[in-house]
Amino acid sequence: MSVKILSVLVLLGSAIYILFSFPKVHPDCGLNVKQLIEKYGFPFENHTVTTEDGYILALHRIPYGRIKNNDHKREPVLIMPGTFATSADWVNMGENSLGFILADRGYDVWLANYRGSTWSRKHVKLNPEVNKEQFWDWSFHDIGIYDLPALLDYILHISKEEKLFYIGHSQGAVDFFALNSEKPEYNKKFRLMIGLAPVGYFSNAKSSFVHFIAAYQNEIQAIVDRYQLYEILPHSPLLATISQTFCNDNSPFQGICAFIFYLAVGHSNQLNKTLIPVIVSNTPAGSSFKHWRHAAQVYISDGKVPKYDYGEQENLKKYGQPYPPEYNLTQITAPVALYYGANDVFCAQEDIDKTASMLRNVVVNKRVPDFNHIDVVWGIDVKQLIEKYGFPFENHVVTTEDGYILQLHRIPYGRKKHNYHKRALVLIVPGIFESSADWVNTGENSLGFILADRGYDVWLANYRGNRWSRRHIKLNPDVDKKEFWDWSFHDIGLYDLPAFIDYILHVTRHVQLFYIGHSQGTSNFFVLNSEKPEYNNKFRLMVGLGPAAYFSNSKTPIVYFLATYQNQIQALVDRYLLYELLQYSPWFATIGQTFCNGNLPFQDVCASIVYIAVAYSNQFNKSMIPVILSNAPAGGSYKHLAHLTQIYLSGGKCR
């Protein structure tokens, strides 16, 4: 057979394949975000927001689910996409789309489109095709500083709410970090931030794309400037057509399409190959080269998160110093939950852990086996991840009469929400060195979850000084040490408990609540109701777990040691300002994960340390030690232990 005849047959065969395979693609291919939302029976609203620096952004809203309940107050949730993504990426998985799941669960869902992406390519003055250098002169810093505040303020104004939930994927997380470190006043506007594959610290990323840009950034910048390639990977109908033709289920090339995904974001068994044509119908959606150069600068920064590096001369003009300053992540006080994949080439575990250690209010730091960078958005099992426990979370802030700012965490209902069921209140107050996390860290068996599923409105307290309540209207716990830590369980009972109780009863419009106190949590209760007996009528029942009041016959070696050497210890405390004890530290979590897991013989040693503190028990689940140490100990004052020691020595008195 001649070469010409063979060539003709190959071309003819290819043409027949294309003609016959093209109509068999997924029915959602080619649909934009409005069409996708309305196809699945959800309402769609298009809103327009203009940033302080003139970018005009499209904000897409799903105000309610498929069954509208006008009497139900719907809490807003803002979802921020990653680089090259848009609002469509949260509704393109059909019934399993996060946007749809949240809308059907009762949330008011807002889907963001950051500057330069498909539906946000407008500016009050600039044209993205004509004024290329000016229009595309931005990175994630500008999205965080300008886009996010504009979106947040608009949503809260429209919904008439003071706070919202926030979900950010990849770049959507670093946008959040930039905003709340640079404008910390925005922290109070978030009920909870959920970071999916959250990019923060970035030096250990294994992305070949980022490594290439970092290695040749100057050469690439020269090409970008010469040919004005300031925008990269905009939305392309041609790419969508190619994907529909060669990546559908009938195509022998589908595996190659999947391989391209794996090259970009890491290997995974979670990719639904059938949906590749649907995904590519709207993605990639465009970004700026400056954004990626900024990411590359973070990558080579040797463990820092710096602002954009303009070069020494420009840095002096812009920042007043030759090198760009770092973002101060310790300014971020909003509650944060982090989820990332074990196969994520952008989010290395050591980088995520470092990010978590800098944030002041991390409620979850979860590494998901087998997931890559995009599986948290498009993975086959992503719905199961989202619904793992399925409980809502609220963060409330309470200020005591003596100025301590306390966090109060709420699980307002269980996994089956009954809007018309009046739910009895229960306040859970932890023991010494504990926090709200200790009531939800044993999975399905957690008391907080059990009570929520049983029909209670669950409130989890964080008393003064623990990891989520280290603030005061005037005092700094690390500077004004003696003054900030000058309290014992007496002050918690006299100030913290009334603040919690009055706030909860005011918000819920109830007159009484159930109370569960563990150890110190019972001491607090006894102090309050003996000193302020008018509070007795606000309790339906007090449940004391390991209740501590009279204490003279205690057999704990820690208290015995303190009692024996109390004067010497107090002298050391005063000399070295050791007024805080056992502050929360990520090192405890690392030690627990490294030495106390079930695969190592050290687990029994870890358990023995626990037994020394609280006595031996065959009820203790040793496999939970790493989980427990992820949040405990959570900090307390030395004065509290000194007060307990005084009771121990009091000869049977409680004073």
Side-chain angles (χ1 to χ4, degrees):
M1 183 180 295
S2 70
V3 175
K4 287 185 177 180
I5 295 174
L6 182 61
S7 300
V8 170
L9 289 175
V10 170
L11 289 172
L12 181 61
S14 300
I16 292 171
Y17 163 73
I18 291 171
L19 288 172
F20 280 91
S21 68
F22 183 81
K24 298 176 183 177
V25 297
H26 196 284
D28 288 353
C29 283
L31 300 183
N32 62 32
V33 64
K34 181 178 186 294
Q35 294 165 332
L36 284 166
I37 291 172
E38 292 180 341
K39 175 183 175 179
Y40 286 93
F42 292 84
F44 171 85
E45 292 179 9
N46 182 63
H47 296 253
T48 301
V49 179
T50 302
T51 68
E52 184 182 338
D53 58 344
Y55 287 84
I56 302 171
L57 313 177
L59 180 60
H60 297 151
R61 183 188 191 189
I62 309 174
Y64 49 86
R66 283 169 286 197
I67 300 176
K68 183 178 180 182
N69 182 354
N70 292 322
D71 299 325
H72 172 52
K73 186 178 181 181
R74 309 178 69 82
E75 296 170 323
V77 54
L78 170 61
I79 308 182
M80 196 74 177
T83 309
F84 300 130
T86 67
S87 55
D89 293 279
W90 305 102
V91 294
N92 61 9
M93 294 287 290
E95 298 286 342
N96 292 326
S97 300
L98 179 60
F100 295 156
I101 293 170
L102 291 173
D104 268 344
R105 288 288 177 87
Y107 291 92
D108 179 5
V109 180
W110 297 79
L111 308 173
N113 294 281
Y114 63 83
R115 59 183 63 197
S117 61
T118 304
W119 292 294
S120 296
R121 292 172 58 86
K122 294 180 181 179
H123 190 278
V124 294
K125 295 180 180 178
L126 305 174
N127 185 310
E129 308 296 341
V130 178
N131 314 109
K132 293 183 178 181
E133 185 174 5
Q134 295 82 14
F135 184 92
W136 298 101
D137 184 23
W138 51 264
S139 77
F140 62 80
H141 173 85
D142 305 275
I143 296 172
I145 295 300
Y146 297 113
D147 293 19
L148 265 196
L151 296 169
L152 287 165
D153 292 342
Y154 180 86
I155 292 169
L156 294 178
H157 173 72
I158 293 295
S159 62
K160 297 180 181 179
E161 294 283 338
E162 295 181 355
K163 294 184 177 184
L164 51 69
F165 292 95
Y166 179 92
I167 299 174
H169 173 236
S170 187
Q171 171 194 288
V174 77
D175 301 335
F176 171 90
F177 298 148
L179 168 63
N180 290 284
S181 59
E182 292 291 292
K183 298 183 177 182
E185 65 272 17
Y186 272 87
N187 279 284
K188 64 184 180 182
K189 299 190 178 186
F190 295 92
R191 291 185 180 275
L192 173 69
M193 180 275 197
I194 300 175
L196 303 178
V199 175
Y201 288 95
F202 196 56
S203 296
N204 295 289
K206 297 175 177 62
S207 167
S208 54
F209 181 61
V210 174
H211 180 76
F212 176 79
I213 294 177
Y216 300 101
Q217 58 178 310
N218 293 329
E219 294 85 348
I220 298 172
Q221 186 68 61
I223 296 172
V224 165
D225 291 335
R226 181 172 182 179
Y227 297 102
Q228 295 195 320
L229 303 175
Y230 301 106
E231 177 185 16
I232 52 178
L233 292 180
H235 172 67
S236 170
L238 175 60
L239 186 61
T241 301
I242 292 171
S243 175
Q244 292 167 24
T245 305
F246 293 103
C247 301
N248 67 74
D249 284 340
N250 297 312
S251 169
F253 304 109
Q254 189 183 64
I256 297 174
C257 300
F259 180 71
I260 294 171
F261 271 78
Y262 300 150
L263 282 178
V265 296
H267 185 267
S268 171
N269 296 320
Q270 288 289 319
L271 178 64
N272 188 340
K273 298 175 186 177
T274 298
L275 288 174
I276 292 176
V278 181
I279 293 168
V280 180
S281 293
N282 290 289
T283 306
S287 184
S288 73
F289 173 73
K290 183 178 180 180
H291 167 81
W292 280 100
R293 184 165 188 183
H294 194 176
Q297 290 173 357
V298 177
Y299 173 71
I300 61 175
S301 68
D302 192 26
K304 301 176 182 177
V305 186
K307 297 181 182 179
Y308 190 83
D309 189 350
Y310 292 91
E312 186 172 328
Q313 295 301 318
E314 287 300 313
N315 288 339
L316 285 168
K317 294 178 183 177
K318 191 171 184 66
Y319 306 125
Q321 59 187 58
Y323 301 103
E326 294 183 61
Y327 295 100
N328 183 4
L329 300 191
T330 63
Q331 293 275 26
I332 300 172
T333 58
V336 173
L338 306 175
Y339 296 89
Y340 65 103
N343 297 334
D344 192 327
V345 297
F346 291 93
C347 298
Q349 182 173 355
E350 48 267 55
D351 289 334
I352 298 291
D353 288 344
K354 185 172 182 180
T355 300
S357 72
M358 298 298 291
L359 304 174
R360 294 170 59 182
N361 196 353
V362 176
V363 296
V364 175
N365 182 7
K366 176 70 174 177
R367 186 170 184 256
V368 185
D370 301 323
F371 272 40
N372 68 19
H373 194 63
I374 59 172
D375 287 338
V376 289
V377 180
W378 296 324
I380 294 170
D381 295 328
V382 70
K383 183 178 180 182
Q384 286 75 13
L385 172 66
I386 295 165
E387 297 177 334
K388 179 176 181 182
Y389 293 124
F391 291 90
F393 171 86
E394 294 181 7
N395 182 63
H396 296 255
V397 178
V398 179
T399 303
T400 68
E401 184 183 336
D402 58 343
Y404 286 84
I405 301 170
L406 314 176
Q407 288 202 35
L408 185 59
H409 296 153
R410 182 188 189 189
I411 309 174
Y413 47 85
R415 285 168 286 197
K416 292 183 179 179
K417 182 177 180 182
H418 304 288
N419 293 326
Y420 302 105
H421 172 53
K422 188 175 182 180
R423 308 178 70 81
L425 308 175
V426 57
L427 169 63
I428 307 181
V429 178
I432 188 170
F433 303 129
E434 296 174 357
S435 71
S436 56
D438 293 279
W439 304 102
V440 293
N441 63 6
T442 54
E444 299 283 345
N445 295 323
S446 300
L447 181 60
F449 295 156
I450 292 171
L451 290 173
D453 267 345
R454 291 288 177 87
Y456 291 91
D457 181 358
V458 180
W459 296 77
L460 308 174
N462 290 285
Y463 59 81
R464 60 184 63 197
N466 85 8
R467 64 175 299 195
W468 288 302
S469 296
R470 288 173 54 84
R471 289 193 291 162
H472 189 278
I473 58 175
K474 295 180 180 179
L475 304 174
N476 184 313
D478 299 313
V479 178
D480 310 298
K481 293 183 179 182
K482 187 172 183 179
E483 296 82 6
F484 184 94
W485 298 101
D486 184 23
W487 52 264
S488 76
F489 64 82
H490 171 85
D491 305 276
I492 298 173
L494 209 56
Y495 298 111
D496 295 17
L497 271 200
F500 287 139
I501 292 164
D502 292 344
Y503 179 87
I504 293 169
L505 296 180
H506 172 73
V507 168
T508 60
R509 298 180 182 178
H510 283 241
V511 294
Q512 288 186 320
L513 50 73
F514 290 95
Y515 181 97
I516 298 174
H518 175 235
S519 187
Q520 170 195 285
T522 61
S523 305
N524 306 148
F525 175 89
F526 297 144
V527 168
L528 170 63
N529 290 283
S530 60
E531 294 289 297
K532 296 183 176 182
E534 65 273 17
Y535 273 86
N536 280 283
N537 62 12
K538 298 189 179 186
F539 296 94
R540 298 178 69 172
L541 173 69
M542 182 276 207
V543 179
L545 305 177
Y550 291 97
F551 198 60
S552 296
N553 296 294
S554 173
K555 295 177 175 61
T556 171
I558 296 174
V559 174
Y560 178 79
F561 176 80
L562 291 171
T564 305
Y565 300 102
Q566 58 178 318
N567 294 330
Q568 295 90 330
I569 296 172
Q570 186 67 59
L572 289 173
V573 166
D574 292 333
R575 181 173 183 179
Y576 296 104
L577 302 179
L578 302 176
Y579 299 106
E580 178 182 14
L581 292 181
L582 292 179
Q583 178 183 354
Y584 168 75
S585 170
W587 282 106
F588 282 109
T590 302
I591 291 169
Q593 293 165 16
T594 305
F595 295 105
C596 302
N597 66 74
N599 298 319
L600 293 172
F602 301 110
Q603 188 179 66
D604 287 332
V605 177
C606 299
S608 297
I609 295 171
V610 175
Y611 299 151
I612 290 172
V614 298
Y616 173 79
S617 171
N618 57 14
Q619 290 289 314
F620 185 52
N621 186 345
K622 292 185 283 189
S623 66
M624 294 301 299
I625 295 176
V627 180
I628 294 168
L629 290 180
S630 294
N631 291 288
S637 75
Y638 171 73
K639 184 177 179 179
H640 172 82
L641 283 182
H643 193 172
L644 289 178
T645 303
Q646 291 172 0
I647 296 176
Y648 175 74
L649 294 170
S650 68
K653 298 177 182 179
C654 184
R655 58 189 182 188

